[in-house]
Amino acid sequence: LSLLAAASAAAQACSWLWLRSDPPALRPAVPTALLAALHLLQLGFFFRCIHALKVGWKVCWAKAEEEDEQRHMAFLSHDISMLRLFETFLENTPQLTLLLYIILRTNKAELSQGLGIGTAFLCVSWSLLDYHQSLRSFLQDKYELSWGSSIIYFLWNLFLICPRILVVALFALFWPYGVALHFLLVWLAMFLWVSLQGTDFMESSGPEQLYRAIVAVILYFSWFNVAQGRTLYRSIIYHGFILVDSTLLALTWLLGQAPSEQHSYLLLVLSAALPCYLLGLGLRLTYYKWLHPNMQVQQEGGYDEVDAREERDGLGFRSFLEPELVNRRMQWLAHTQFPLSQPARQHCLNGAAAV
């Protein structure tokens, strides 16, 4: 319960900090004191969803300034998608690991529990796909994820996350309290790695440390790019580290606690974990080699221009018409996620006029 409370508080803190950094024209027409109270009551995310529904309804019926409202909707929907991603890895994924551990410990599972675990795995992978699609909605280029690309993106995340959660649950069978120590050590390594990459997501250094701490939790379970430039070598280092770490966890359980007859099926499940992880890596390589929308940009040799500007810098970003505003958070994330973006941009406050 304390972990759930801490995770919820971290997500609400991010939501509050983002609202405070947004330009006044894009903030909800609600008193600041009421917004603060909602976030203290852990209702900030719920309020964001209600506000997005309200703006979305206006988009459906808008006659004038429809394009500006659509950009506003992209602004709101991405924040919601990212908060959902934080919630998935801060709250849902640890709970999924705990539930899997309890079932393995008791060797009892109801049909509803099995369905719940399967659905939870799908939801974790879906949150990553939703985040990626939401981030692409901020771009002005026409090369969006196709159905085929979306399916492959979903599957490679699923095949990489499932073995990771399984081996953590198996290690908990051998040493329940050791999972906390293992998580702390890996989290510290990931936090240091993220810090060394020099993230620039939040508006000040204090909140930036919170963002890095949350990303380190995500990296404990799944890949999450936080730096600009090509990701090939960083990805190789990360997946190599996770593969070695997961193998050591599995071997610790296998050698330290010989599977009993009632757990004999776990040997078959564990033997399928490595091929599953390698299949996920293969699907990821396939996606970035042939199915990524940016590959179509490179093949056709064309880039979209930034709105209301003559310069080209790889990918066009959605900005508001009056005034010319840009969501700096989304712009920075798009630069880190899409390799055609150029890193050379001046730092500006979130919502400030693009420079």
Side-chain angles (χ1 to χ4, degrees):
L1 290 176
S2 61
L3 289 176
L4 282 175
S8 179
Q12 297 295 326
C14 286
S15 176
W16 170 249
L17 291 169
W18 295 349
L19 282 173
R20 290 296 302 270
S21 67
D22 288 343
L26 301 180
R27 296 177 191 171
V30 176
T32 302
L34 178 57
L35 281 177
L38 288 172
H39 283 82
L40 286 175
L41 296 173
Q42 309 300 298
L43 296 175
F45 181 75
F46 177 75
F47 172 78
R48 278 181 173 274
C49 293
I50 297 297
H51 179 61
L53 287 174
K54 180 181 177 181
V55 175
W57 180 261
K58 289 177 62 177
V59 170
C60 292
W61 295 96
K63 301 288 185 181
E65 299 182 349
E66 182 177 356
E67 188 68 20
D68 214 32
E69 291 293 340
Q70 290 177 355
R71 290 171 175 135
H72 189 189
M73 190 64 212
F75 186 102
L76 297 175
S77 64
H78 178 74
D79 281 350
I80 291 175
S81 179
M82 194 162 192
L83 287 173
R84 187 185 299 115
L85 182 70
F86 287 175
E87 180 186 45
T88 296
F89 284 97
L90 293 177
E91 299 183 31
N92 300 340
T93 306
Q95 290 298 307
L96 172 60
T97 308
L98 175 62
L99 177 59
L100 187 59
Y101 160 76
I102 293 173
I103 290 177
L104 295 177
R105 171 65 68 182
T106 60
N107 202 37
K108 296 179 181 179
E110 301 291 337
L111 177 61
S112 59
Q113 290 178 314
L115 293 176
I117 288 178
T119 303
F121 275 116
L122 296 176
C123 289
V124 172
S125 185
W126 177 264
S127 68
L128 289 165
L129 174 61
D130 176 71
Y131 164 78
H132 189 74
Q133 289 180 327
S134 175
L135 188 59
R136 274 212 163 268
S137 71
F138 179 55
L139 304 178
Q140 285 286 61
D141 67 359
K142 58 182 177 295
Y143 303 103
E144 299 179 352
L145 284 180
S146 63
W147 278 102
S149 298
S150 298
I151 292 173
I152 296 299
Y153 191 94
F154 175 85
L155 288 177
W156 71 253
N157 280 292
L158 180 65
F159 289 149
L160 292 179
I161 291 172
C162 287
R164 178 62 175 174
I165 294 178
L166 173 63
V167 296
V168 172
L170 287 177
F171 180 71
L173 283 178
F174 170 71
W175 189 16
Y177 297 104
V179 172
L181 177 61
H182 174 265
F183 171 79
L184 179 61
L185 293 176
V186 175
W187 178 85
L188 287 173
M190 294 300 176
F191 181 81
L192 177 61
W193 193 44
V194 172
S195 300
L196 291 175
Q197 294 181 65
T199 62
D200 185 26
F201 181 73
M202 305 293 269
E203 300 296 332
S204 58
S205 59
E208 189 67 28
Q209 301 307 314
L210 173 63
Y211 169 73
R212 293 174 179 176
I214 293 175
V215 170
V217 176
I218 297 177
L219 288 170
Y220 181 82
F221 296 101
S222 175
W223 164 259
F224 189 81
N225 186 33
V226 295
Q228 298 174 357
R230 295 182 61 83
T231 63
L232 176 61
Y233 298 112
R234 292 196 301 270
S235 180
I236 291 175
I237 293 172
Y238 171 80
H239 287 293
F241 176 86
I242 292 297
L243 185 59
V244 171
D245 180 69
S246 298
T247 302
L248 291 176
L249 292 180
L251 289 176
T252 300
W253 169 78
L254 189 62
L255 300 176
Q257 180 175 322
S260 60
E261 292 184 1
Q262 63 179 0
H263 286 115
S264 59
Y265 67 93
L266 289 178
L267 292 175
L268 181 61
V269 174
L270 186 60
S271 64
L274 179 59
C276 180
Y277 195 87
L278 296 178
L279 177 60
L281 291 178
L283 289 176
R284 185 183 179 192
L285 179 62
T286 300
Y287 172 81
Y288 282 104
K289 186 68 175 178
W290 292 289
L291 298 176
H292 195 282
N294 286 352
M295 299 306 299
Q296 188 176 357
V297 177
Q298 292 177 339
Q299 291 171 3
E300 298 185 8
Y303 305 123
D304 290 336
E305 293 186 9
V306 179
D307 268 1
R309 302 179 66 191
E310 296 300 324
E311 68 182 18
R312 295 174 180 264
D313 69 343
L315 295 176
F317 298 97
R318 293 184 183 270
S319 59
F320 292 89
L321 300 178
E322 284 294 337
E324 185 185 351
L325 299 174
V326 63
N327 186 333
R328 194 192 71 85
R329 294 191 302 270
M330 296 169 70
Q331 180 183 8
W332 186 85
L333 286 169
H335 277 309
T336 65
Q337 296 292 328
F338 305 117
L340 288 181
S341 302
Q342 299 297 324
R345 269 187 181 268
Q346 297 181 13
H347 177 89
C348 58
L349 293 179
N350 185 47
V355 293

